[in-house]
Amino acid sequence: MAVTAGSPDAAEIGAAAAPLLAIGLMGAGMIGAAAAGRFWVGIVLAVLAGSGLAILALALGTASLPHPAFTALAFLVAAVSFAARGALFALSGGAKGWWIALAVVAGEAAIILTAWKEPGALPDWLLVLLPAQWATMAIEASLTGAGEQIAIAALVALGGTAAATMLVAKLWPRRWTYAVMFTTWIALSALVWHSGYAEQAQGGSVQAGTQVMALDGNS
């Protein structure tokens, strides 16, 4: 965010800020809910983390949010989705649930940051499976105003996985409900893919790569 501060290029700002905001929401929401064993704690922590990062971006000189209502909606839906997963980890893993959450966050964060730093290094089908990538797409659209159709599909996917996760938690310890969650996750990943994600990813790789090289050159 500090590197892109003051940049007039909304796409550059969105490409840099969106994954950081998504990972911040995911880490605070999922790990917080898993550690506390409370769904609402994860939501509160995720919203606070996202809001804090957004305020930091504005303080650094990043252009004002062009779609604040959509940004707030993306934060809230992502917070609910990530907190639901964290609460399920607390339920299934007990005192070690937050370690599971930490591992999941670290894994998805590594993939998302790798995809941003090295566009094209990872297959698009892998990225579209990650809820962190869904949050990234929704937040980036709210910052740039581009890709609204994909952003809506990403929000639907986040909300759908949250509902499926909460269903599993409610019916715990019936393990068969995991099949429902897995099926929902795959179906919603397909929804995001067919919303235009593949076409945007192919067209955006060159642009993202150019932005990254420009940032590196200015470092």
Side-chain angles (χ1 to χ4, degrees), residues 17 42 46 83 181 203:
M181 188 169 70

Side-chain angles (χ1 to χ4, degrees), residues 153-210:
L155 288 180
V156 170
L158 286 168
T161 52
T165 303
M166 287 187 283
L167 175 63
V168 173
K170 183 176 181 179
L171 297 178
W172 182 266
R174 296 180 180 89
R175 301 300 182 93
W176 63 267
T177 51
Y178 273 103
V180 175
M181 188 169 70
F182 179 79
T183 302
T184 302
W185 168 52
I186 295 298
L188 291 173
S189 296
L191 171 67
V192 175
W193 178 267
H194 290 291
S195 69
Y197 173 81
E199 291 79 2
Q200 186 187 68
Q202 292 172 359
S205 294
V206 174
Q207 180 182 5
T210 301

Side-chain angles (χ1 to χ4, degrees), residues 3-79:
V3 173
T4 59
S7 171
D9 189 346
E12 181 180 339
I13 295 172
L20 297 178
L21 288 166
I23 292 169
L25 282 164
M26 184 180 187
M30 192 180 298
I31 298 174
R38 295 289 185 273
F39 174 55
W40 66 268
V41 171
I43 295 177
V44 172
L45 290 176
V47 171
L48 288 176
S51 301
L53 288 171
I55 293 172
L56 174 62
L58 295 174
L60 289 172
T62 301
S64 60
L65 299 176
H67 305 284
F70 189 80
T71 301
L73 177 63
F75 279 11
L76 180 59
V77 175

